[in-house]
Amino acid sequence: MSIGTDPAVTAGSAPTLSRRPRTPHVDGGTSSVPAVVRRAVGVLTTGLVIISVAALLFLAVGPRIFGYQTSTMLTGSMSPLINPGDVVVTVPVPVSDIRAGDIITYRIPVEDRRVETHRVTKVFTAADGSTAVRTKGDANNGVDPWEASLNGKTVHRHVFTVPALGHAVRALREPVVLNSLMYGAPAILVLGVLRSIWRREPALSTGKNG
């Protein structure tokens, strides 16, 4: 094997060492953008999953285990205490425990027999001997134009309200929101990972001359 003379090394001069080209400086802020995006997407996705699971447990599982009932307020008849979109939580209590001033959820005896959540203004005994009530929405000018008989042994009485949860549940059920959560968040995460890979500096390879 022949050994050649490096033309860069001449007689009477010290050998010079070749230097590797300097790697261009990359702004740390720019290179960290994918990590920030991944972190933000991860936090957002995790938060939405936690909220969805908590809402599912609260609205679907909780009533079966603890016996409470939930309903979404659709009108402003009980504002400002209960506003449209708020979730009303009630528990069954004996009819004999109902007093004027209580807020109850019951089916009205007229029209479509919809479920209503209003405040009791009067408790009395109906002609058939059952307990009956007159009710009123806090925001309404007058009492409801009906008398409601509480024929069962219990009636659901308001215990607390979860503000705006009904709006959140309806939003999560929208196809656009569902598709965004299912496809949008993972797509952003994948793009962030790919971008970080593409921006990574290539490893310097070394070799031996034969």
Side-chain angles (χ1 to χ4, degrees), residues 20-160:
R20 294 177 179 175
R22 293 184 178 181
T23 303
H25 175 70
V26 180
D27 185 8
T30 303
S31 62
S32 63
V33 170
V36 173
V37 172
R38 292 197 303 273
R39 190 177 299 111
V41 172
V43 171
L44 177 61
T45 304
T46 302
L48 290 174
V49 170
I50 292 175
I51 292 174
S52 301
V53 172
L56 175 64
L57 294 175
F58 175 68
L59 297 175
V61 180
R64 297 177 179 273
I65 298 176
F66 300 106
Y68 62 82
Q69 176 178 288
T70 62
S71 58
T72 302
M73 196 70 178
L74 301 178
T75 69
S77 62
M78 285 297 293
S79 296
L81 179 63
I82 308 173
N83 299 301
D86 292 351
V87 169
V88 178
V89 181
T90 59
V91 295
V93 298
V95 170
S96 58
D97 289 351
I98 295 299
R99 300 289 184 270
D102 291 340
I103 299 174
I104 63 173
T105 297
Y106 68 103
R107 289 191 179 276
I108 66 174
V110 297
E111 300 172 357
D112 57 357
R113 296 183 60 81
R114 67 181 181 275
V115 174
E116 191 69 86
T117 299
H118 276 178
R119 191 181 300 276
V120 175
T121 60
K122 180 182 178 182
V123 182
F124 59 97
T125 301
D128 59 0
S130 64
T131 300
V133 294
R134 294 297 299 271
T135 57
K136 175 183 178 297
D138 289 355
N140 294 345
N141 294 326
V143 298
D144 297 325
W146 59 73
E147 297 177 355
S149 294
L150 306 178
N151 297 317
K153 294 181 179 180
T154 62
V155 63
H156 278 263
R157 183 167 61 189
H158 171 266
V159 287
F160 66 91

